[in-house]
Amino acid sequence: MAKPLVSSRADALAGTARVPGDKSISHRALMFGALAVGESVVEGLLEGDDVLCTAQAMRALGAEVERRADGSWRLFGRGVGGLAEPDGLLDMGNSGTGARLLMGLVATHPFTTFFTGDASLRSRPMRRITEPLGRMGAGFVTRSGGRLPAAVIGTAEPQPITYELPVASAQVKSAILLAGLNTPGETTVIEREATRDHTELMLRNFGATVTVDPLPEGGRRVTLTGYPELVGRHLRVPADPSSAAFPVVAALVVPGSDLRLPAVGINPLRTGLYQTLGEMGADLRFENSRVEAGEPVADLVVRFSELKGVDVPPERAPSMIDEYPILAVAAAFARGTTRMRGLAELRVKESDRLAAMAHGLAACGVRVEENKDSLTVHGTGAPPAGGATIAVNLDHRIGMSFLVLGMATAQPVAIDDGHTIDTSFPGFAALMNGLGANIGAGKE
Ligand code: S3P
């Protein structure tokens, strides 16, 4: 059953809130813990539906995975190459990261694994991984268009490859590197634009040899040495900068707001939104910068700000790929025009986010232009009208973006289904309401 939600104008948002753990890092922590020899303990794991699907999948592949009473997760791994054939389908829910990384991992195990997901995931492109993984020796049976459900026929004789990514995608890079774990020799991925490097950082932390060489013309060459012995680790997952983005933009657009968000990941390959908000005039500070489990973190302090429109260069897209929906909301409150370019990948996320933002903002009275791979938002400096109900189409970030919009528009903004928010930010409405927002049940 759908769960409609409505967000009405809020008075100042104030207080301190810990946003949930990083989704990208949480998936990887479960996968690498399941591959390591011995015990791993993960604190601060995101307990969103996406990550819970990965936990279930790692169990189905033979690892011990349990949530302990103190909220930490304990894993007992199988060793690289030690995964076992699952006896049922792996249902990855809404998660592109879970599906693509695991399809890479099992591609070099000598058994067949069947993958499926929800209607959103079943519509997403998988050829971007089946093509390079096929070169490593794996076979695939997919639905038309290379979509899930799919069977991954793992190879017993994997070949290492050197592969240049045709699209800037950390999921594709990671799928190949994970396949390279149970492959002899060196597996190399060349990326012309650097994408999030959590796989590289965490694999090294677990004991693998991963070298990263910058390319003279930009980008990186990432090389993994096969058959590493991964050893169990104790990890603390930083708060997710992609989730923190929602309270941050909410504070920027609701007058009088002042928020503190502790221990947010500030990996430079994830912080494009924060750089852009700074250019727009946001009063946003990083305090107590430190490193936790190999990842940089800081406390974010943000206050209401009068924003101005900016040009966001296309080369910034990989470092803020999940943040364009909420940036478009910030842009709707800014004075002047914000141009976002290089957004073709937004069309193949959990939904077509370019179209979703263009249509939804227009329905709320914002002047927007949508092109093949760009979005232009014309802000007037005054709050938009609001007053629309937005179809989220199984896309958590679209849902949260429009609820944030409604916190400062003249009329409330509703979404048709809030369930999907649990994929990445369980407890979003309660957390925001605790800071002063007015999110309530909407009309069926
Ligand atoms: C992710 C990579 C990105 C991002 C996704 C998480 C990851 O996807 O959008 O939310 O954890 O590697 P792409 O690789 O498709 O850009």
Side-chain angles (χ1 to χ4, degrees):
M1 220 175 58
K3 179 177 155 192
L5 293 175
V6 59
S7 176
S8 312
R9 206 181 171 89
D11 292 331
L13 304 176
T16 297
R18 167 97 200 188
V19 304
D22 190 281
K23 181 155 71 71
S24 294
I25 295 176
S26 294
H27 282 296
R28 288 160 173 84
L30 291 176
M31 292 178 195
F32 300 162
L35 290 175
V37 173
E39 182 181 87
S40 290
V41 175
V42 187
E43 289 177 58
L45 189 87
L46 167 63
E47 294 178 342
D49 293 341
D50 276 14
V51 175
L52 297 178
C53 286
T54 291
Q56 194 48 39
M58 299 325 294
R59 280 188 197 111
L61 287 159
E64 277 176 42
V65 184
E66 58 167 12
R67 183 184 195 277
R68 301 197 295 193
D70 65 359
S72 65
W73 286 66
R74 177 190 167 275
L75 295 110
F76 203 84
R78 302 275 308 201
V80 166
L83 298 178
E85 180 176 277
D87 62 11
L89 270 174
L90 300 189
D91 184 345
M92 303 313 296
N94 190 249
S95 180
T97 307
R100 293 194 178 117
L101 269 58
L102 279 187
M103 287 170 76
L105 186 55
V106 298
T108 52
H109 281 72
F111 52 73
T112 297
T113 314
F114 296 86
F115 286 87
T116 190
D118 71 6
S120 158
L121 185 56
R122 293 196 310 269
S123 73
R124 296 182 68 184
M126 293 296 163
R127 278 210 191 105
R128 52 182 59 198
I129 59 161
T130 58
E131 203 274 316
L133 295 173
R135 294 192 200 187
M136 297 179 82
F140 297 88
V141 180
T142 68
R143 211 155 58 85
S144 62
R147 293 167 304 160
L148 297 186
V152 180
I153 303 154
T155 173
E157 293 175 359
Q159 300 294 319
I161 58 169
T162 294
Y163 189 75
E164 182 170 332
L165 297 183
V167 283
S169 166
Q171 291 178 358
V172 179
K173 170 176 65 176
S174 301
I176 297 166
L177 293 175
L178 294 196
L181 287 171
N182 198 33
T183 299
E186 293 188 334
T187 295
T188 298
V189 179
I190 295 167
E191 49 179 11
R192 293 289 162 203
E193 294 172 280
T195 63
R196 65 189 69 193
D197 59 356
H198 306 302
T199 298
E200 296 90 309
L201 294 178
M202 202 186 292
L203 275 176
R204 265 198 210 132
N205 194 11
F206 273 83
T209 301
V210 184
T211 59
V212 180
D213 299 309
L215 298 170
E217 61 279 26
R220 310 169 160 203
R221 180 187 181 91
V222 182
T223 300
L224 168 80
T225 305
Y227 301 142
E229 176 156 308
L230 304 182
V231 275
R233 285 277 175 250
H234 192 131
L235 303 175
R236 214 180 139 65
V237 179
D240 196 326
S242 299
S243 297
F246 299 100
V248 163
V249 170
L252 291 173
V253 302
V254 174
S257 296
D258 187 349
L259 295 184
R260 172 179 284 269
L261 308 168
V264 177
I266 52 164
N267 180 316
L269 294 169
R270 296 287 298 281
T271 48
L273 171 76
Y274 298 108
Q275 184 183 352
T276 305
L277 292 173
E279 291 166 5
M280 295 172 83
D283 179 352
L284 175 65
R285 279 173 296 133
F286 292 174
E287 294 184 351
N288 303 321
S289 296
R290 55 206 185 268
V291 173
E292 286 185 5
E295 289 277 352
V297 300
D299 303 336
L300 258 55
V301 180
V302 55
R303 299 203 176 91
F304 169 75
S305 306
E306 283 181 7
L307 301 174
K308 61 174 197 297
V310 292
D311 256 324
V312 190
E315 58 275 13
R316 201 175 289 165
S319 68
M320 55 178 295
I321 193 66
D322 292 335
E323 280 67 77
Y324 285 99
I326 192 62
L327 176 64
V329 169
F333 289 88
R335 184 179 300 279
T337 297
T338 297
R339 282 189 196 84
M340 299 163 243
R341 291 173 290 136
L343 307 189
E345 277 292 300
L346 289 199
R347 298 214 182 266
V348 291
K349 293 294 178 188
E350 284 82 331
S351 71
D352 177 346
R353 288 184 173 159
L354 201 40
M357 290 316 296
H359 297 161
L361 286 176
C364 291
V366 182
R367 198 154 71 79
V368 279
E369 286 144 36
E370 174 194 355
N371 282 305
K372 197 163 55 70
D373 65 351
S374 70
L375 184 67
T376 303
V377 177
H378 301 279
T380 62
T389 297
I390 309 297
V392 301
N393 291 320
L394 293 175
D395 192 326
H396 51 130
R397 299 198 204 282
I398 298 300
M400 288 186 278
S401 295
F402 281 99
L403 292 176
V404 169
L405 185 82
M407 292 175 198
T409 44
Q411 299 298 318
V413 176
I415 61 170
D416 66 344
D417 191 4
H419 278 304
T420 180
I421 292 173
D422 293 346
T423 59
S424 70
F425 201 147
F428 172 75
L431 180 141
M432 292 308 306
N433 286 347
L435 297 170
N438 291 309
I439 302 174
K443 287 198 204 79
E444 292 285 339

